[in-house]
Amino acid sequence: CIISKKGTESFPALNLLVPVLPLQLSNTAILHQIRRDQVTDTCRANSMSSRKRRVLTPNDLKHLVVDEDHEMIYCYVPKVACTNWKRVMMVLTGRGKYSDPMEIPANEAHISSNLKTLNQYSIPEINHRLKNYMKFLFVREPFERLVSAYRNKFTQKYNTSFHKRYGTKIVRRQRKNATQEALQKGDDVKFEEFVAYLIDPHTQREEPFNEHWQTVYSLCHPCHIHYDLIGKYETLEEDSNYVLQLAGVGNYLKFPTYAKSTRTTDEMTTEFFQNISSLHQTQLYEVYKLDFLMFNYSVPSYLKLE
């Protein structure tokens, strides 16, 4: 195991391994060390301002998928290649039932009983796994991820459950003189209305954000759980295959590649933000600020912050 068993902060095995590894791998190991340090520094800088550090409960661990055979834990973040990572985890945990991730239908990857999550274990078992297993997650530029979630959940006609559950609520709260049809269907939510809903203090008080637009900070608890590897959507293929290599399966399992033309890009995100007032942009940035800082994403150039 290349990752040190103690966890992540000191990474004591690194120095021993550098001479043995090809140059590219040692550079990758250093890159992940830098990403981990960024998270640690951000957590430290923000712990002063946050209230007393709370202890995680099993309920906080619903997003952490466990692979017992390879001693790995993956925290999935919706809209960050999580369907393909769940497919890969099903191959790894399926004991030979699956060999090609892309043969697994997308909807099957999201059936919760197909993967075991950390909240299903006893507290001693949870602590043992958090201490000893290799832990990783994948992150994405926060506003690109947000626009991707909006496009997927509110502009696709087939997502009726989201329109009913969230769309109707957003229309009711954010749209003056909404028609009866819009109030009943909630299938034409504008991005500006979605943003207004997210920054409305009432929304956060009412219930936690849906996982598709919840912050990575709240889904994966990187200030409490020390992740060994932090992959990025922007370097998805390299980072994913590095994880698989460290897990010892890189010789027979590769992360699925696909060129999807519908993918949300930076240019697209810029367009979506054109109609958002600078006040709302500033308030929205505050909601996702920790994700920007923690994972080293700069403030987007299109933002007009107040």
Side-chain angles (χ1 to χ4, degrees), residues 33-300:
Q33 175 71 61
I34 292 166
R35 289 177 184 173
R36 282 199 303 281
D37 289 345
Q38 176 78 19
V39 170
T40 305
D41 293 346
T42 308
C43 292
R44 200 172 288 139
N46 288 277
S47 67
M48 304 303 173
S49 56
S50 68
R51 288 186 296 281
K52 182 174 170 289
R53 174 179 156 161
R54 70 187 188 86
V55 176
L56 293 183
T57 64
N59 195 41
D60 292 316
L61 307 173
K62 295 193 297 274
H63 276 248
L64 279 79
V65 175
V66 182
D67 170 6
E68 291 293 352
D69 295 356
H70 305 91
E71 302 201 338
M72 296 203 306
I73 295 174
Y74 159 58
C75 184
Y76 71 88
V77 178
K79 308 311 299 171
V80 192
C82 91
T83 304
N84 277 354
W85 256 112
K86 284 181 175 181
R87 285 168 160 148
V88 168
M89 293 301 277
M90 282 173 73
V91 171
L92 290 173
T93 57
R95 311 253 166 129
K97 190 175 169 190
Y98 314 97
S99 58
D100 177 4
M102 293 316 275
E103 278 175 8
I104 302 169
N107 60 332
E108 214 166 289
H110 295 295
I111 296 170
S112 55
S113 58
N114 282 336
L115 290 165
K116 194 159 187 192
T117 47
L118 197 57
N119 59 320
Q120 295 169 275
Y121 292 84
S122 70
I123 304 260
E125 288 173 332
I126 288 171
N127 286 329
H128 170 78
R129 281 156 183 75
L130 283 176
K131 192 173 167 218
N132 296 293
Y133 284 19
M134 180 171 91
K135 299 168 294 297
F136 68 97
L137 78 161
F138 275 77
V139 299
R140 182 178 187 176
E141 202 280 338
F143 285 170
E144 199 179 286
R145 177 177 164 240
L146 190 67
V147 168
S148 176
Y150 166 77
R151 290 178 65 219
N152 179 246
K153 299 304 170 195
F154 294 107
T155 69
Q156 304 290 342
K157 287 297 170 208
Y158 61 78
N159 261 322
T160 48
S161 64
F162 265 82
H163 304 155
K164 275 267 185 288
R165 171 91 173 75
Y166 295 100
T168 53
K169 189 185 289 187
I170 293 170
V171 169
R172 191 171 65 244
R173 212 185 287 169
Q174 305 300 338
R175 190 179 301 177
K176 290 186 179 73
N177 312 321
T179 64
Q180 274 312 109
E181 188 186 8
L183 286 165
Q184 277 167 2
K185 285 189 173 173
D187 62 353
D188 64 345
V189 170
K190 298 182 180 70
F191 186 64
E192 299 88 283
E193 294 171 328
F194 178 50
V195 168
Y197 162 78
L198 293 174
I199 59 178
D200 181 351
H202 183 73
T203 303
Q204 295 260 30
R205 281 198 300 269
E206 190 177 60
E207 60 181 344
F209 276 1
N210 176 277
E211 60 176 19
H212 291 84
W213 47 88
Q214 180 59 282
T215 59
V216 177
Y217 172 76
S218 301
L219 289 175
C220 294
H221 315 286
C223 290
H224 293 74
I225 296 169
H226 296 293
Y227 288 91
D228 301 286
L229 300 162
I230 297 161
K232 293 204 164 187
Y233 191 74
E234 295 76 13
T235 48
L236 177 64
E237 221 176 302
E238 306 94 283
D239 290 347
S240 297
N241 287 321
Y242 180 61
V243 172
L244 295 173
Q245 209 168 343
L246 290 185
V249 298
N251 54 344
Y252 67 84
L253 184 58
K254 291 276 175 279
F255 192 78
T257 56
Y258 61 104
K260 273 183 83 172
S261 53
T262 57
R263 189 175 90 72
T264 301
T265 60
D266 185 44
E267 293 74 33
M268 218 179 270
T269 305
T270 305
E271 268 173 54
F272 273 91
F273 273 85
Q274 292 295 304
N275 300 327
I276 306 296
S277 71
S278 58
L279 174 64
H280 281 190
Q281 287 186 6
T282 305
Q283 290 171 314
L284 190 69
Y285 179 75
E286 280 304 313
V287 173
Y288 292 93
K289 185 177 178 177
L290 274 180
D291 280 5
F292 275 100
L293 296 174
M294 197 165 274
F295 305 115
N296 207 18
Y297 288 107
S298 50
V299 176

